[in-house]
Amino acid sequence: MYLFFYIFDILDIVDYYNNVVISVKCLNDKCNANEIENDDNFCYKCGYYTSKGYSFLKDKENVNKITSGVTFKQNERLSVLFGLLVILVVVFLSMLMIRGEKLYKPFSYIKKQSFNYMYGYNTSLMKTDNKYSKESINSYTEAKLFIKNDFLKQEYNCFNDTSVDVMTNKLESDYSIPSVSFCDISNTESTKIKNVIDKMYLLFPNVKGALTNITITNASTKSEYIARFQPMYQFVNIDEDINTYNKVNKTQILLNSYYFLNEDIMKKDVESVVGKDYYVKDTTWESTIAHEFGHYVSFVLLLKKNGIDNITYVTKDNESKIDSVIKEFNSGEYSLSLLNEALNNYNKKYITNLNINEFASMISNYAATKDKEGKLIADETIAEAVHDYYLHGDNMNKASKEIISVISSKL
């Protein structure tokens, strides 16, 4: 009996001892020694270590174990993240190598749709007004390649089918044009434009080599022009010293996206937009490009007169001559001399005494366009004569025929 009570006394003592050892309290005075869970090393209220935590952390081996465990876990996590990053980079670069800039096509599509929503009609993402500085261009070949690459870098913005690409590549090859871009123009419309270009080079085969690009673009205002010839666009190294950097110009024909990317607008007659009898009879949207080629033909004639093939590659040896040619072209004096020669031939042939304004008016209203000072813009007269020739061949107006005769004799 005494042994039984003795054993119970011992168990009570052990239980009391265990309660004292196991009981865990926060050592922070602010927590008033509140009891916490037995396994807690830190107080959940203030973050201070508990009595158990204090005893545990006094052993440096325990501290090292905890630190090494946390560090290992963190390093393991960083390794996984770094591995994922490497995989993503490899996948992206692989896609870029396979698809090139086409990878960005979805972004181009979204951008086009947003512009369409903003303006109410389709626009182009092609930029024809880029300018570059401090570029090393050391030959005419390099100059043409730089122009070509400027447009190639933008091709990911275009959504043409393969047949349009075939057309533009053939035009570049056949007529020595560094870049032809019908970006987003439909297959049907691209074919019509190609036919105009083919016929113009058939009518004037000796004008190859001076044109750098034919490109879709956004005009400064939507209806500023249908198509436009720009004899010189300063493109590369414009503000640099010619003794250090050679320069590059573009001689380009631009197609206004407002018309050529919007079929609903192109379904209307040209006359409904520009007015009746403004252009020569039977004008179409595409044939206005022939008018712009007329300006190009006049420009090539002026280049030949000055012994220059093109104004694309500018060096310190030819800069002054190129500047002189552009100044002469802008003055309109050379075009006026061609027109006067054609007028004289006409008056002699038909025994008349027409003045230059009457002569120009025989072709179209546009051919008789005058500047702000009331002087006839001879270059527009010549361009309309070329337009007439493109549309009607030998059945063109008699005035147009005399102009074409003069031009052909000088080409």
Side-chain angles (χ1 to χ4, degrees), residues 50-115:
T50 64
S51 54
K52 178 178 181 296
Y54 176 77
S55 300
F56 181 79
L57 294 173
K58 281 186 68 176
D59 189 338
K60 291 184 178 180
E61 289 187 8
N62 290 335
V63 175
N64 290 335
K65 286 178 182 178
I66 292 173
T67 305
S68 62
V70 171
T71 303
F72 175 77
K73 204 70 178 174
Q74 189 70 16
N75 287 340
E76 187 180 52
R77 190 176 300 164
L78 288 172
S79 298
V80 171
L81 290 174
F82 181 74
L84 288 173
L85 179 63
V86 170
I87 292 171
L88 288 173
V89 170
V90 170
V91 170
F92 178 78
L93 291 176
S94 299
M95 291 178 69
L96 199 60
M97 290 176 65
I98 295 170
R99 300 197 62 189
E101 289 179 322
K102 291 181 180 179
L103 187 65
Y104 302 106
K105 273 186 176 290
F107 300 102
S108 298
Y109 178 79
I110 293 171
K111 193 173 182 179
K112 285 179 183 180
Q113 294 306 309
S114 63
F115 283 172

Side-chain angles (χ1 to χ4, degrees), residues 43-193:
C43 176
Y44 69 89
K45 292 184 177 180
C46 66
Y48 204 74
Y49 51 74
T50 64
S51 54
K52 178 178 181 296
Y54 176 77
S55 300
F56 181 79
L57 294 173
K58 281 186 68 176
D59 189 338
K60 291 184 178 180
E61 289 187 8
N62 290 335
V63 175
N64 290 335
K65 286 178 182 178
I66 292 173
T67 305
S68 62
V70 171
T71 303
F72 175 77
K73 204 70 178 174
Q74 189 70 16
N75 287 340
E76 187 180 52
R77 190 176 300 164
L78 288 172
S79 298
V80 171
L81 290 174
F82 181 74
L84 288 173
L85 179 63
V86 170
I87 292 171
L88 288 173
V89 170
V90 170
V91 170
F92 178 78
L93 291 176
S94 299
M95 291 178 69
L96 199 60
M97 290 176 65
I98 295 170
R99 300 197 62 189
E101 289 179 322
K102 291 181 180 179
L103 187 65
Y104 302 106
K105 273 186 176 290
F107 300 102
S108 298
Y109 178 79
I110 293 171
K111 193 173 182 179
K112 285 179 183 180
Q113 294 306 309
S114 63
F115 283 172
N116 181 293
Y117 179 78
M118 288 170 57
Y119 300 121
Y121 54 87
N122 294 322
T123 58
S124 175
L125 296 184
M126 293 294 286
K127 289 181 63 64
T128 55
D129 58 354
N130 287 335
K131 289 190 176 184
Y132 298 90
S133 300
K134 297 183 179 179
E135 297 287 345
S136 179
I137 308 292
N138 298 306
S139 70
Y140 173 57
T141 300
E142 288 184 16
K144 290 193 297 181
L145 185 61
F146 198 94
I147 292 169
K148 183 178 181 69
N149 286 338
D150 180 54
F151 291 113
L152 283 176
K153 290 174 184 176
Q154 302 181 59
E155 279 195 341
Y156 68 91
N157 289 317
C158 305
F159 292 80
N160 293 115
D161 58 36
T162 306
S163 60
V164 174
D165 292 335
V166 171
M167 285 184 211
T168 55
N169 289 337
K170 183 166 175 51
L171 288 171
E172 291 173 359
S173 175
D174 288 350
Y175 307 122
S176 302
I177 307 172
S179 175
V180 178
S181 177
F182 296 162
C183 182
D184 294 337
I185 300 178
S186 69
N187 190 312
T188 301
E189 187 58 35
S190 294
T191 301
K192 291 178 181 178
I193 296 170

Side-chain angles (χ1 to χ4, degrees), residues 231-250:
M232 184 179 79
Y233 176 77
Q234 297 179 317
F235 181 50
V236 178
N237 300 335
I238 304 310
D239 298 322
E240 269 70 59
D241 184 353
I242 194 66
N243 294 308
T244 306
Y245 294 99
N246 295 322
K247 301 179 181 182
V248 179
N249 295 319
K250 289 193 293 186

Side-chain angles (χ1 to χ4, degrees), residues 7-21:
I7 293 172
F8 268 92
D9 287 339
I10 292 174
L11 289 174
D12 286 338
I13 293 170
V14 170
D15 183 52
Y16 173 77
Y17 178 78
N18 283 339
N19 284 334
V20 172
V21 174

Side-chain angles (χ1 to χ4, degrees), residues 18-25 35-36 38 51-52:
N18 283 339
N19 284 334
V20 172
V21 174
I22 292 172
S23 177
V24 179
K25 295 182 179 181
E35 292 189 2
I36 311 172
N38 292 341
S51 54
K52 178 178 181 296

